[in-house]
């Protein structure tokens, strides 16, 4: 039986969380002389003189409706990067514990672990970019407190097989974090969110930075058991989501059709870009994608990268990343951007 209190760092059990002014008085009415705020308002920036809702209740209500998940199972972070950082802080003892990552994958799991002096066990994806459950189970030991699975994976763009993730949820002894940053670009039903009720060791990360088009707001979501979310709330900085971000996201969430519209356009563009890239003589392979980017294997990837850079077309050089030799990672842009990219690539190496 999974018991959260046995997994988290022992000193956190007794941690007294900071009690903010807005924790102590949660009413909306009254004269607020309790938080040492400035009573004067900025013109054009209503409300920024006051601290924001520390638990983002209104925003979570909207997310709860859209994602069909109880408010108590939602944590909001200053980007999902904040959730990654807090999860490592919650479960891994510096200098002692470690996380398991599955390269090639998103770089922040490793960076966050390094910041906290937490060990990193790397268990490479297989040549199909799928996880090797047997190897993970053989190599995992009691010090490995968390397993990070990125699905769709960055930079390989593919979903990790559901069955393999479920196997990990059943057999890995620690917390399994499934990073679904790109899930809006994957077929419907790909998310593991509905599995939360079955697996108390599951944490799902999603973000407003990709499909929702709000990378500049810095707003990420973690979904997990209410118990685990309470723990994250206890260790987070009190007002981690600023007022402007909360207000802007509330506004955006009242127009969910925008997400569908953008995702529809980007998926059609992804298809066109994929087909166009495949016709280029020096392109060896365009990997299938369930995300808003393509991993493209080509001769002389690094040269092509610099050729594009000279024309101020900036893609990501992944050619030195394990299993991604000779690969560039290309974000699907607008139709105009994609046409310009293809035109430039058709002219390579003629100059
Ligand atoms: C897999 C993955 N997770 C998380 C993030 C970061 O998301 P956020 O902008 O919410 O911090 C990224 C950003 O590129 C990503 O690729």
């Amino acid at each position: 039986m999974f018991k959260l209190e046995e997994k988290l760092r022992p000193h956190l059990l007794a941690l007294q969380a900071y009690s903010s002014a807005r924790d102590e008085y949660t009413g909306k009415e009254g004269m607020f002389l309790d938080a040492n705020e400035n009573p004067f308002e900025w013109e054009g920036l209503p409300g920024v003189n006051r601290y924001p809702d520390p638990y983002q209740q209104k925003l979570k209500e909207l997310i709860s409706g859209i994602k069909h998940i109880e408010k108590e199972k939602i944590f909001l972070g200053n980007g999902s990067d904040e959730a990654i950082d807090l999860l490592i802080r919650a479960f891994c003892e510096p200098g002692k514990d470690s996380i398991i990552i599955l390269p090639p994958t998103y770089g922040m799991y490793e960076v966050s672990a390094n910041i906290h002096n937490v060990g990193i066990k790397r268990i490479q994806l297989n040549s199909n970019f799928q996880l090797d459950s047997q190897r993970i189970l053989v190599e995992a030991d009691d010090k490995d407190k968390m397993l990070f699975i990125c699905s769709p994976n960055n930079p390989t763009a593919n979903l990790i097989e559901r069955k393999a993730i479920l196997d990990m949820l059943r057999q890995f002894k620690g917390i399994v974090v499934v990073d679904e940053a790109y899930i809006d670009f994957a077929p419907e039903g790909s998310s593991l969110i509905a599995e939360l009720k079955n697996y108390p060791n599951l944490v799902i990360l999603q973000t407003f930075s990709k499909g929702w088009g709000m990378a500049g707001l810095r707003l990420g979501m973690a979904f997990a058991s209410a118990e685990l979310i309470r723990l994250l709330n206890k260790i987070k900085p009190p007002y981690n989501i600023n007022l402007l971000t909360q207000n802007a996201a509330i506004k955006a969430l009242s127009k969910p059709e925008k997400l569908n519209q953008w995702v529809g356009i980007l998926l059609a563009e992804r298809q066109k870009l994929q087909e166009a890239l495949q016709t280029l003589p020096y392109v060896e392979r365009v990997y299938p994608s369930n995300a808003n980017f393509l991993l493209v294997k080509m001769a002389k990837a690094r040269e092509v990268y610099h050729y594009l850079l000279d024309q101020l077309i900036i893609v990501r050089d992944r050619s030195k990343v394990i299993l991604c030799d000779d690969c560039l990672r290309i974000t699907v842009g607008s139709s105009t951007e994609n046409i310009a990219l293809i035109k430039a690539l058709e002219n390579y190496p003629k100059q």
Side-chain angles (χ1 to χ4, degrees):
M1 244 275 278
F2 177 87
K3 287 209 177 98
L4 188 72
E5 66 272 19
E6 288 172 5
K7 303 294 173 191
L8 79 130
R9 290 168 68 197
H11 73 285
L12 293 179
L13 272 173
L15 178 85
Q16 190 64 47
Y18 176 72
S19 178
S20 72
R22 291 286 68 77
D23 280 315
E24 288 175 18
Y25 179 79
T26 52
K28 300 272 177 286
E29 297 290 312
M31 193 164 74
F32 289 90
L33 301 176
D34 59 349
N36 299 344
E37 296 153 338
N38 184 329
F40 305 114
E41 283 213 344
W42 279 95
E43 221 179 286
L45 291 172
V48 300
N49 57 324
R50 300 289 177 187
Y51 286 105
D53 175 358
Y55 302 109
Q56 312 95 24
Q57 302 292 357
K58 199 164 167 193
L59 186 48
K60 283 182 184 167
E61 253 158 49
L62 292 170
I63 295 172
S64 165
I66 289 174
K67 300 280 176 188
H68 310 293
I69 185 163
E70 300 93 300
K71 248 170 81 180
E72 297 65 36
K73 296 185 176 172
I74 306 172
F75 171 84
L76 296 178
N78 187 355
S80 26
D81 287 343
E82 184 182 34
I84 295 168
D85 177 86
L86 288 173
L87 285 163
I88 292 179
R89 281 196 224 201
F91 295 103
C92 300
E93 207 57 51
K96 189 172 153 227
D97 292 332
S98 41
I99 62 165
I100 298 182
I101 61 168
L102 312 174
T105 195
Y106 181 50
M108 273 311 284
Y109 316 133
E110 176 159 356
V111 172
S112 266
N114 281 334
I115 290 169
H116 296 297
N117 190 25
V118 159
I120 297 154
K121 193 172 275 180
R122 295 174 188 82
I123 303 181
Q124 214 175 294
L125 293 175
N126 65 28
S127 55
N128 294 330
F129 301 144
Q130 289 298 326
L131 64 77
D132 184 340
S133 351
Q134 282 315 311
R135 258 193 69 206
I136 294 174
L137 293 174
V138 167
E139 292 196 22
D141 61 39
D142 287 348
K143 291 189 180 128
D144 300 321
K145 296 294 163 73
M146 310 179 75
L147 167 63
F148 282 89
I149 301 172
C150 188
S151 179
N153 186 40
N154 177 4
T156 59
N158 60 299
L159 281 162
I160 303 296
E161 283 162 9
R162 192 180 192 89
K163 183 184 171 307
I165 302 180
L166 294 179
D167 279 350
M168 290 297 96
L169 282 162
R170 282 186 212 108
Q171 296 181 67
F172 180 71
K173 300 233 163 37
I175 306 288
V176 177
V177 180
V178 181
D179 186 343
E180 297 186 339
Y182 298 98
I183 203 70
D184 293 327
F185 303 100
E188 216 164 308
S190 302
S191 172
L192 268 88
I193 215 163
E195 297 292 343
L196 280 169
K197 59 180 181 310
N198 302 323
Y199 298 100
N201 56 338
L202 171 62
V203 179
I204 292 176
L205 301 179
Q206 293 187 5
T207 180
F208 285 96
S209 299
K210 313 293 175 184
W212 281 98
M214 295 189 272
L217 287 189
R218 309 307 302 128
L219 187 60
M221 298 164 269
F223 306 109
S225 71
E227 195 187 7
L228 200 150
I229 296 300
R230 271 197 301 279
L231 169 71
L232 293 180
N233 279 332
K234 200 165 148 182
I235 65 174
K236 79 180 181 74
Y239 303 106
N240 62 327
I241 309 296
N242 73 69
L243 184 88
L244 298 178
T245 294
Q246 292 193 40
N247 286 347
I250 287 168
K251 212 165 156 182
L253 286 177
S254 67
K255 294 190 188 127
E257 66 281 0
K258 204 79 197 157
L259 170 75
N260 300 333
Q261 185 194 335
W262 280 334
V263 168
I265 294 171
L266 290 170
L267 293 186
E269 285 299 319
R270 182 177 80 193
Q271 177 71 22
K272 279 197 267 174
L273 192 56
Q274 196 155 13
E275 286 164 13
L277 286 165
Q278 266 153 355
T279 65
L280 298 170
Y282 54 93
V283 165
E284 288 167 30
R285 185 154 185 204
V286 184
Y287 288 94
S289 172
N290 289 121
N292 66 338
F293 58 87
L294 294 168
L295 186 71
V296 190
K297 195 176 178 75
M298 62 185 76
K300 302 199 178 124
R302 208 166 162 70
E303 268 181 36
V304 177
Y305 169 77
H306 284 289
Y307 162 80
L308 289 175
L309 209 53
D310 286 344
Q311 298 173 62
L312 288 179
I313 299 175
I314 301 107
V315 298
R316 202 85 196 261
D317 178 13
R318 300 281 84 180
S319 60
K320 297 282 173 285
V321 171
I322 199 147
L323 292 183
C324 299
D325 311 9
D326 305 322
C327 284
L328 299 183
R329 194 195 72 190
I330 303 177
T331 305
V332 178
S334 66
S335 169
T336 320
E337 288 171 331
N338 300 334
I339 289 169
L341 168 77
I342 290 297
K343 201 163 160 215
L345 288 172
E346 280 171 348
N347 285 331
Y348 177 81
K350 301 167 256 156
Q351 278 161 66

